[in-house]
């Protein structure tokens, strides 16, 4: 285990192997070429083959755009600005607004930052304690009559909070990460009135007081510190969490791993003086507790001049030109339509989104592809399927990728995928992982069950996640409502810590989900050729509201061999709308009745 409170930060002005892309440097490089052309006009004119002009080099750095709002302690009427943005975003579940609220280091007083849809709030220090809000960062469910199950797509990061009444409310659902936060008090994960709630994810955070999930159905907490954990409903999973309750599944349903096997925290924007930089935390093995401790985290840092700062409306060709130049991508808040894939081919490339920047592939293209290279970091953006079916939305490594990336894996963090909801969308497979050693650290892959453009064939999406690569680790995996398999795992030595799933609600009848001789497709399937696989704290729920008589054979399917192991599995029928016959393969009691009581398996095989 590496020390949790090491204080080592490296800030190279220009990382090795990455050329400087400042405007001045580009101008200097171009000048000799122009001079040479001027000296030999006759030769140029005589050339019978016209030469294609190279595009002008793109500059790095630049303004973050109108939807990134930066505050400092002297900013007037901060509360008024926060309230105005919240009014726009509170109920805009499928709207087009995207916002990032950034706070310079310092101390702020008397604030209540209420967060609506597609709104991220973050501090700009190296440590959460550099930016303290004496007040709250609040998510509640008044817009939905006290039901928090649709409080998606919002985030808090890199702040210290001193809650006004001693406890901060964070009543979120999926795709709402709470990262690098220090709560100097307690944390309440339920809405006012303790209505329904279905979340959630915490990482690299310290909560000095107790965490009360109350009505939260499930939750995953990683590499953090808590002053206590009050209760559990169906599935609470912890890895590397100081103060976590001991494993006691299924009563109460706690699954606790002392450490996280491999982790590397999400990149984040911060200020060094008045200059923006992006910090890249280092990889940890057998990690436990926060990375920032009483000082700065371990890792390296890139200046913003090494990033192409993208604005909504920019073309995929321009994004790819920036990547080919050696720039990283910073996607500012907004919606980006793509007529070709964004292609990440260079090792150690960072693609970082702010304020739920959203990629929409048009004409059936893949939104983003990654080559079989080391150390790519994808973080903080949403991919929304287009109206023309895409075979794949995101692909990590090409088919057949086989290189060893154990020393420097690719990470996919807070990358969320949606099919339908904001309008009709289709994709055969959402996320394909071919590269070995990839870490999927918090994703929600969702075929929409409500909103616009929703129907069994209208937003058709057969598969959520397909893992072909070996040695892939998923920490915090949420995949829901796919027409066939939600997760298929073909790679060897895969591991999943926490899985949350709902089967598709809208199957018209039993025949619509028939899978050969099996009744339905498993939520999580490990291929018969796999010899080694392990999972901890996995849950699948069904709610067949179109035809409540549907029977789902099982939530989980896997080969029966000693190297394929599962710990603490559950299936739940929500109110008796459909039932499970088994938990995994033909093991586990069937669900029954309308009482929404989980059927569990503690160890398999």
């Amino acid at each position: 285990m590496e020390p949790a409170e090491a204080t080592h930060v490296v800030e190279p002005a220009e990382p090795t192997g990455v050329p400087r892309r400042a405007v001045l440097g580009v101008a200097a490089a171009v000048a000799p070429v122009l001079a040479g052309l001027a000296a030999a006009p006759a030769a140029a004119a005589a050339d019978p083959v016209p030469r294609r002009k190279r595009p002008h080099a793109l500059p790095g750095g630049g303004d973050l755009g109108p939807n990134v709002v930066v505050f400092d302690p002297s900013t007037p009427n901060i509360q008024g600005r926060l309230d105005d943005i919240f009014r726009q975003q509170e109920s805009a579940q499928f709207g087009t607004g995207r916002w990032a609220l950034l706070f310079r280091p310092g101390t702020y007083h008397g604030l209540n930052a209420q967060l609506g849809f597609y709104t991220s709030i973050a501090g700009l220090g190296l440590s959460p304690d550099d930016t303290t809000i004496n007040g709250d960062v609040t998510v509640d469910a008044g817009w939905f009559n006290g039901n928090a199950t649709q409080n998606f797509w919002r985030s808090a990061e890199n702040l210290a909070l001193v809650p006004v009444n001693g406890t901060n409310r964070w009543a979120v659902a999926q795709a709402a990460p709470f990262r690098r936060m220090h709560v100097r008090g307690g944390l309440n994960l339920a809405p006012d009135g303790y209505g329904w709630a279905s979340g959630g994810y915490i990482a690299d955070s310290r909560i000095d007081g107790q965490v009360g999930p109350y009505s939260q159905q499930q939750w995953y907490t990683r590499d953090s510190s808590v002053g206590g954990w009050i209760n559990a409903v169906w599935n609470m999973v912890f890895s590397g969490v100081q103060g976590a309750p001991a494993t006691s599944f299924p009563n109460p349903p706690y699954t606790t791993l002392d450490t996280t096997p491999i982790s590397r925290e999400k990149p984040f924007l911060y200020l060094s003086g008045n200059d923006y930089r992006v910090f890249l935390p280092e990889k940890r093995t057998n990690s436990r507790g926060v990375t920032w401790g009483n000082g700065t985290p371990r890792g390296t840092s890139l200046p913003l001049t090494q990033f192409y700062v993208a604005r909504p409306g920019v073309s995929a060709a321009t994004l790819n030109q920036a990547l080919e130049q050696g720039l990283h991508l910073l996607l500012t808040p907004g919606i980006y339509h793509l007529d070709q894939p964004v292609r990440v081919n260079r090792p150690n490339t960072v693609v970082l989104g702010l304020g739920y920047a959203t990629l929409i592939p048009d004409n059936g293209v893949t939104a983003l592809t990654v080559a079989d290279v080391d150390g790519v970091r994808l973080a903080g953006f949403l991919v929304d399927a287009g109206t023309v079916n895409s075979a794949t939305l995101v692909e990590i490594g090409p088919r057949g990728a086989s290189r060893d990336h154990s020393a420097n894996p690719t990470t996919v963090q807070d990358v969320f995928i949606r099919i339908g909801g904001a309008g009709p969308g289709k994709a055969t497979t959402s996320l394909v992982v071919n590269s070995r050693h990839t870490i999927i650290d918090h994703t929600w892959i969702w075929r929409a069950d409500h909103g616009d453009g929703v129907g069994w064939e209208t937003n058709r999406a057969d598969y959520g996640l397909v893992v072909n690569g070996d040695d892939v680790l998923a920490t915090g995996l949420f995949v829901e409502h796919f027409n066939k398999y939600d997760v298929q795992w073909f790679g060897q030595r895969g591991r999943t810590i926490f899985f949350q799933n709902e089967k598709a609600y809208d199957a018209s009848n039993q025949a619509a989900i028939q899978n050969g001789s099996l009744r339905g497709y498993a939520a999580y399937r490990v291929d018969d050729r796999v010899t080694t696989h392990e999972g901890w704290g996995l849950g699948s729920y069904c709610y067949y509201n179109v035809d409540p008589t549907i029977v789902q054979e099982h939530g989980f399917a896997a080969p029966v061999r000693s190297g394929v192991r599962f710990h603490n599995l559950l299936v739940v029928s929500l109110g008796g709308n459909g039932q499970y016959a088994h938990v995994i393969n033909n093991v586990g009691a069937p669900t029954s009745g309308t009482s929404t009581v989980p059927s569990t398996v503690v160890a398999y095989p």
Side-chain angles (χ1 to χ4, degrees):
M1 183 176 73
E2 298 181 14
E5 298 196 353
T7 56
H8 174 65
V9 57
V10 179
E11 294 192 356
E14 302 300 334
T16 303
V18 180
R20 184 167 181 84
R21 299 291 173 181
V23 177
L24 183 61
V26 170
V30 171
V33 177
L34 296 177
L37 289 174
D47 190 345
V49 180
R51 296 179 181 178
R52 190 168 57 184
K53 291 183 179 179
R54 289 186 177 182
H56 292 294
L58 297 169
D63 184 78
L64 300 180
N67 285 54
V68 176
V69 183
V70 182
F71 302 101
D72 65 48
S74 65
T75 301
N77 195 22
I78 297 175
Q79 188 64 56
R81 188 74 169 113
L82 296 174
D83 291 346
D84 179 59
I85 293 170
F86 178 64
R87 279 190 293 269
Q88 296 176 50
Q89 300 302 120
E90 180 183 12
S91 58
Q93 182 173 176
F94 299 111
T96 58
R98 303 288 187 271
W99 294 92
L101 312 176
L102 306 182
F103 287 74
R104 288 174 172 266
T107 302
Y108 300 77
H109 298 280
L111 297 181
N112 181 16
Q114 300 183 82
L115 299 186
F117 288 97
Y118 314 109
T119 305
S120 298
I121 188 170
L124 288 170
L126 262 180
S127 165
D129 289 327
D130 292 341
T131 311
T132 298
I133 293 178
N134 288 300
D136 298 83
V137 172
T138 301
V139 177
D140 206 345
W143 74 277
F144 200 42
N145 300 315
N147 180 347
T149 60
Q150 294 183 22
N151 281 348
F152 313 134
W153 305 305
R154 62 202 76 196
S155 66
E157 186 172 355
N158 206 27
L159 292 165
L161 305 178
V162 184
V164 169
N165 68 355
T167 301
N168 189 79
R169 187 183 301 279
W170 185 255
V172 298
Q174 288 80 7
F178 197 80
R179 289 185 182 268
R180 294 178 54 78
M181 296 289 287
H182 185 188
V183 181
R184 299 176 191 165
L187 189 63
N188 182 346
L189 302 179
D192 186 27
Y194 302 97
W196 292 341
S198 179
Y201 176 91
I202 294 171
D204 201 20
S205 294
R206 176 174 291 162
I207 293 91
D208 294 344
Q210 287 188 317
V211 179
Y214 302 111
S215 56
Q216 282 286 356
Q217 296 164 357
Q218 70 283 313
W219 201 276
Y220 174 53
T221 307
R222 179 181 63 72
D223 295 339
S224 294
S225 174
V226 298
W229 195 276
I230 294 173
N231 75 299
V233 177
W234 294 336
N235 191 30
M236 300 286 161
V237 180
F238 309 84
S239 67
V241 179
Q242 297 164 339
T247 293
S248 55
F249 189 92
N251 187 26
Y254 294 136
T255 300
T256 301
L257 287 72
D258 189 57
T259 61
T260 304
I262 307 168
S263 65
R264 189 173 67 188
E265 299 301 332
K266 174 179 173 285
F268 61 93
L269 191 69
Y270 76 102
L271 279 171
S272 177
N274 288 316
D275 297 325
Y276 286 109
R277 301 182 72 93
V278 173
F279 191 81
L280 308 178
E282 70 178 15
K283 187 188 78 163
R284 298 199 293 170
T285 56
N286 298 320
S287 53
R288 180 174 172 84
V290 301
T291 62
W292 39 275
N294 292 319
T296 56
R298 287 182 177 270
T300 57
S301 175
L302 296 172
L304 195 63
T305 53
Q306 291 294 330
F307 285 77
Y308 176 68
V309 179
R311 298 282 195 92
V314 70
S315 69
T318 298
L319 297 175
N320 283 325
Q321 182 192 341
L323 291 169
E324 290 164 7
Q325 282 183 206
L327 294 171
H328 308 274
L329 296 182
L330 185 73
L331 305 174
T332 63
I335 295 174
Y336 298 74
H337 281 270
L338 308 174
D339 60 358
Q340 61 179 275
V342 175
R343 297 182 177 90
V344 180
N345 295 324
R346 182 170 48 88
N348 303 310
T349 298
V350 180
V351 180
L352 176 61
L354 299 180
Y356 287 82
T358 302
L359 307 179
I360 301 179
D362 295 325
N363 301 318
V365 302
T366 298
L368 187 145
T369 64
V370 178
D372 192 18
V373 295
D374 273 356
V376 172
R377 305 185 196 223
L378 308 178
F381 56 89
L382 171 65
V383 177
D384 205 354
T387 56
V388 178
N389 185 75
S390 292
T392 304
L393 290 174
V394 177
E395 184 181 65
I396 310 300
R399 181 174 292 276
S402 60
R403 293 180 181 175
D404 186 322
H405 303 295
S406 55
N408 186 13
T410 285
T411 47
V412 182
Q413 298 175 288
D414 301 346
V415 172
F416 307 118
I417 298 176
R418 178 175 69 194
I419 301 95
K426 291 186 178 183
T428 303
T429 305
S430 293
L431 173 61
V432 177
V433 177
N434 294 316
S435 287
R436 294 180 62 193
H437 303 103
T438 298
I439 300 172
I440 306 168
D441 177 43
H442 190 225
T443 186
W444 184 39
I445 305 172
W446 185 57
R447 175 182 168 262
D449 61 276
H450 63 271
D452 185 25
V454 171
W456 187 249
E457 296 294 342
T458 306
N459 62 329
R460 181 84 193 187
D462 284 349
Y463 309 110
L465 168 66
V466 174
V467 178
N468 296 314
D470 295 339
D471 308 291
V472 172
L473 171 65
T475 52
L477 182 58
F478 301 73
V479 188
E480 295 188 305
H481 305 307
F482 285 83
N483 294 78
K484 293 184 178 179
Y485 291 113
D486 298 275
V487 172
Q488 289 194 92
W489 210 293
F490 297 95
Q492 298 288 352
R493 297 176 299 280
R495 291 176 289 184
T496 295
I497 304 172
F498 181 90
F499 172 67
Q500 187 266 328
N501 165 263
E502 289 181 355
K503 294 303 299 174
Y505 292 172
D506 54 349
S508 55
N509 51 41
Q510 189 76 50
I513 64 164
Q514 195 67 20
N515 179 16
S517 62
L518 290 175
R519 294 171 292 181
Y521 293 80
Y524 187 109
R525 174 183 176 265
V526 179
D527 187 72
D528 289 343
R529 291 165 292 184
V530 172
T531 58
T532 306
H533 188 92
E534 196 160 9
W536 297 262
L538 281 63
S540 177
Y541 320 150
C542 74
Y543 183 71
Y544 288 114
N545 62 337
V546 176
D547 181 359
T549 68
I550 290 175
V551 176
Q552 174 77 28
E553 190 71 31
H554 43 224
F556 304 91
V560 183
R561 50 175 59 102
S562 60
V564 178
R565 298 178 292 172
F566 290 92
H567 314 270
N568 303 348
L569 301 175
L570 70 145
V571 295
V572 182
S573 168
L574 303 180
N577 290 274
Q579 301 291 347
Y580 290 91
H582 306 286
V583 179
I584 180 169
N585 294 344
N586 60 354
V587 174
T591 59
S592 63
T594 60
S595 55
T596 314
V597 175
S599 179
T600 62
V601 168
V602 174
Y604 184 87

